[in-house]
Amino acid sequence: MSKNVLIVDDATVVRLLLRSVLERNGFNVVGEAANGNEAFAKYKELSPDLVTMDITMPEASGIDGLKMILGFDPQAKIIMITAIDQRKYLLEAIKSGAVDYIVKPFEDDRVISALEKALA
Amino acid sequence: MSEQELKVIEMISRMSIDRASQVFSKTIKAGSKIEIVRFQRVDISEISEEVSKEDKEATGAIVQLSGEAPTKLLFIVNLKDALKLTDLFLRREIGETKAFDIYVESTIQEIGNILASSIANVFAKGFNVEMSPEPPVVLSDYSSSIFNTVLMDEDYLTDNKILLVETKFFVVRTAFDCMLFLMPSVEATKVLLERSFANNFS
């Protein structure tokens, strides 16, 4: 059975691109959100198997969204997909409970292997 | 700022732009090069006048890099070429996007974000300067109007002059009229110089 994914990114084109990559590879995109607050609301509503989360977003960042979701469901699987390639952010995301960290611009294979590994 | 200090800032800018160039190629999946065509302290009234002479409809992403070395970035594209960039970003045939829409706006937003992040990454990794981009603001207007929005910030001015790093883009097989401007604040130049000399970068 295909796994349900929630895509979180403030850029419409990134959500569109990720949706296309995921659906081509057998994942089911159940929802999209454009900031950390929306991500938390959608997570509670949709209970996805996995979340892909950008970091730089308005209102509430991806790190805020990550903490909110994991505070609600400590078993949540969240992969950060961000253009920020800095140790400080990587460590904060991993310490806060992210299962992987992918730097944009992403390769499709890297995204798919990260999702498969997280869901194995 | 002395000649030597200005040279150091120019070298840091070149390193940052080279990295942005690599990231841009990967983003649009096409060979490209971003080249610095001007590194200069310029009078804001002169640069405003210069930009208004070549005024055209454009879309631009303004990104504030926050942290220890506040810097502004403006990625600006001629409206017609923004449509081509959208096709490349979405891996479509060039010409598929016919008119300005939310996807074009979002493409410029995301490219601004990726370029700004790559520059912040160079500052952080190479010079131990903590930086992160704020979410980009996208404006569609005449290029002079977009440019003037970025210029009006006292934190970036000394004697009514701003340090401007102007670049041009060269993309294989496709002509693009787009530019990237980097504007380090007065504070940013101080911090970058301190960290550079602390790391014997001179």
Side-chain angles (χ1 to χ4, degrees):
Chain A
M1 202 174 76
S2 61
K3 297 289 187 180
N4 294 329
V5 180
L6 171 65
I7 297 172
V8 187
D9 198 301
D10 59 330
T12 311
V13 281
V14 176
R15 299 199 303 271
L16 186 71
L17 208 54
L18 265 176
R19 174 183 280 273
S20 149
V21 171
L22 298 185
E23 289 180 345
R24 258 200 331 268
N25 285 276
F27 293 92
N28 180 36
V29 177
V30 284
E32 296 180 7
N35 62 55
N37 291 332
E38 270 186 30
F40 182 44
K42 288 270 169 92
Y43 187 88
K44 288 191 289 184
E45 179 194 336
L46 302 166
S47 300
D49 299 302
L50 188 140
V51 180
T52 67
M53 181 85 79
D54 185 19
I55 289 184
T56 307
M57 293 185 287
E59 294 174 42
S61 74
I63 298 287
D64 296 332
L66 169 80
K67 289 176 180 172
M68 283 188 268
I69 292 172
L70 285 165
F72 170 74
D73 176 8
Q75 304 304 314
K77 292 185 170 67
I78 304 174
I79 294 175
M80 310 309 285
I81 302 183
T82 173
I84 302 177
D85 183 14
Q86 295 178 34
R87 194 166 55 179
K88 179 189 161 194
Y89 289 90
L90 168 72
L91 289 178
E92 190 177 2
I94 299 298
K95 274 184 191 167
S96 303
V99 294
D100 208 337
Y101 192 101
I102 297 171
V103 178
K104 290 179 190 171
F106 55 78
E107 297 290 346
D108 299 357
D109 292 351
R110 170 76 177 97
V111 173
I112 297 304
S113 68
L115 263 74
E116 285 172 347
K117 192 176 164 197
L119 292 166
Chain B
M1 201 185 300
S2 70
E3 279 298 310
Q4 191 196 13
E5 288 171 334
L6 206 59
K7 199 79 196 158
V8 172
I9 298 293
E10 186 176 355
M11 286 168 77
I12 296 169
S13 303
R14 286 195 188 281
M15 288 169 69
S16 307
I17 295 298
D18 283 349
R19 181 64 194 140
S21 186
Q22 292 162 9
V23 168
F24 184 72
S25 294
K26 200 175 165 193
T27 302
I28 62 167
K29 301 209 180 301
S32 66
K33 175 90 184 130
I34 309 176
E35 280 186 6
I36 295 180
V37 293
R38 171 162 46 183
F39 178 88
Q40 200 178 11
R41 286 188 71 229
V42 290
D43 190 285
I44 57 162
S45 54
E46 284 172 20
I47 188 76
S48 290
E49 197 182 318
E50 191 184 316
V51 172
S52 63
K53 276 184 196 161
E54 296 176 26
D55 221 1
K56 57 199 155 201
E57 278 189 291
T59 183
I62 300 168
V63 190
Q64 174 72 54
L65 287 163
S66 297
E68 292 181 291
T71 297
K72 279 187 191 179
L73 175 145
L74 169 63
F75 173 64
I76 190 163
V77 192
N78 167 327
L79 208 50
K80 184 167 54 76
D81 291 341
L83 309 186
K84 288 192 216 168
L85 268 182
T86 304
D87 287 332
L88 283 177
F89 190 90
L90 288 172
R91 305 170 193 179
R92 298 167 171 166
E93 287 292 315
I94 287 184
E96 241 180 82
T97 303
K98 306 282 186 206
F100 190 86
D101 59 16
I102 57 159
Y103 296 110
V104 180
E105 182 178 328
S106 177
T107 297
I108 302 309
Q109 171 196 348
E110 184 59 13
I111 292 177
N113 173 48
I114 287 175
L115 292 172
S117 298
S118 73
I119 288 164
N121 296 340
V122 171
F123 284 14
K125 286 182 178 175
F127 302 96
N128 204 21
V129 176
E130 281 196 9
M131 301 285 290
S132 63
E134 301 288 335
V137 174
V138 180
L139 300 175
S140 293
D141 204 331
Y142 281 91
S143 49
S144 60
S145 174
I146 297 173
F147 199 81
N148 285 331
T149 307
V150 184
L151 285 178
M152 298 305 149
D153 191 334
E154 286 188 357
D155 292 343
Y156 289 72
L157 302 176
T158 324
D159 304 328
N160 230 27
K161 286 186 173 178
I162 190 165
L163 181 61
L164 184 74
V165 184
E166 180 182 346
T167 70
K168 280 219 164 200
F169 286 59
F170 301 92
V171 181
V172 174
R173 288 190 296 276
T174 315
F176 278 108
D177 182 10
C178 54
M179 290 189 285
L180 174 71
F181 294 94
L182 259 189
M183 286 158 263
S185 64
V186 177
E187 180 62 23
T189 54
K190 277 187 204 160
V191 170
L192 287 168
L193 284 170
E194 276 170 21
R195 300 291 164 86
S196 305
F197 287 116
N199 293 321
N200 292 322
F201 182 81
S202 61

